[in-house]
Amino acid sequence: MTTNENARPASELNPEHTPRAHWAELAPDVYKAMVRLDAASRRGLDPVIAELVKIRASQLNHCAFCLDMHSKDALAAGESVQRIIQLSAWEESRHFYTPKEIAAIELTEAMTVLTDGFVPDEVWQNAAKHFDEAELAHLVAAITTINAWNRFAVTTRMVPGHYQPGDIKH
C-alpha cells in the first residue's frame, strides 16, 4: 500500500460505523456454503474478469466492504489502478477493456440491476459470443454470488478498510 501525503489524520476523519451483526460467526454453515459457492463459481473463469465483475457489482450495490476487498485483491493480482477507477464509467472508458471484459461487465449490470427488467437478449447474446457455455455458466454463477455477498455485507454493515489481500481464503 502506498502512503498518501495528502491523507487526513485519523483524528479528522469520521469514526467507523459499527457492524450490525457478525453474520459469518452467527450463521457459520451459511458462510461456509457461500465460500464453497464462490470457489465453485470461479472455476474455469478468467481471474481478471472475476475481479472486474466483483468490483462492478459491488459498485452498483454500494457495497463498500466488497469494493475494498476486491479492489485490493485485483491490485495484488496485478490489475491497474486506472482500470479499477474507470470501471465505474466503463461505457465511456471501453478502450481500457477487452470486448470479452465488456461483455462480462454488461452482463453483470443486467443481472445486478434487475429493477430494469430481465437480462436483455442482446446482452446475453454478446456474452455468449465471448464465453463458451461452461464459462458463461460460471460467469452467471460468479455474478450471482457477488450479489449475494454484497447483500450480506450491506445489510449487516460490514466495515471496509481493514481487509488485506489473502485475509480470506477462497
Side-chain angles (χ1 to χ4, degrees):
M1 183 174 290
T2 60
T3 305
N4 180 352
E5 62 275 358
N6 297 319
R8 300 273 184 213
S11 62
E12 291 182 22
L13 300 175
N14 287 311
E16 285 185 359
H17 64 267
T18 303
R20 289 181 176 146
H22 297 281
W23 77 271
E25 295 168 17
L26 298 169
D29 290 342
V30 175
Y31 177 77
K32 290 174 190 170
M34 283 296 298
V35 169
R36 287 191 309 274
L37 177 62
D38 188 63
S41 71
R42 287 184 285 109
R43 277 190 213 111
L45 192 58
D46 179 314
V48 171
I49 289 175
E51 287 303 328
L52 291 174
V53 161
K54 290 175 182 182
I55 294 167
R56 186 61 189 136
S58 299
Q59 289 171 338
L60 293 166
N61 288 323
H62 305 279
C63 183
F65 181 85
C66 292
L67 277 170
D68 179 60
M69 174 188 290
H70 296 296
S71 294
K72 288 175 179 175
D73 283 347
L75 288 168
E79 184 58 86
S80 74
V81 171
Q82 189 170 40
R83 281 174 33 108
I84 293 170
I85 291 170
Q86 291 300 318
L87 193 52
S88 65
W90 67 269
E91 290 173 298
E92 295 180 47
S93 303
R94 288 176 174 265
H95 59 285
F96 287 103
Y97 308 99
T98 68
K100 187 172 185 174
E101 290 168 342
I102 291 294
I105 294 165
E106 288 174 332
L107 186 59
T108 300
E109 289 203 5
M111 288 179 60
T112 300
V113 187
L114 291 176
T115 54
D116 292 345
F118 51 84
V119 174
D121 289 339
E122 55 274 4
V123 170
W124 180 264
Q125 291 162 354
N126 187 38
K129 283 190 329 193
H130 295 283
F131 295 87
D132 66 34
E133 288 182 342
E135 283 180 305
L136 189 53
H138 282 92
L139 179 60
V140 168
I143 295 166
T144 300
T145 304
I146 189 58
N147 274 283
W149 281 122
N150 288 166
R151 278 144 182 80
F152 283 120
V154 169
T155 302
T156 62
R157 298 192 72 213
M158 292 174 72
V159 180
H162 302 283
Y163 176 80
Q164 295 299 316
D167 279 358
I168 297 175
K169 304 293 184 231
H170 298 289

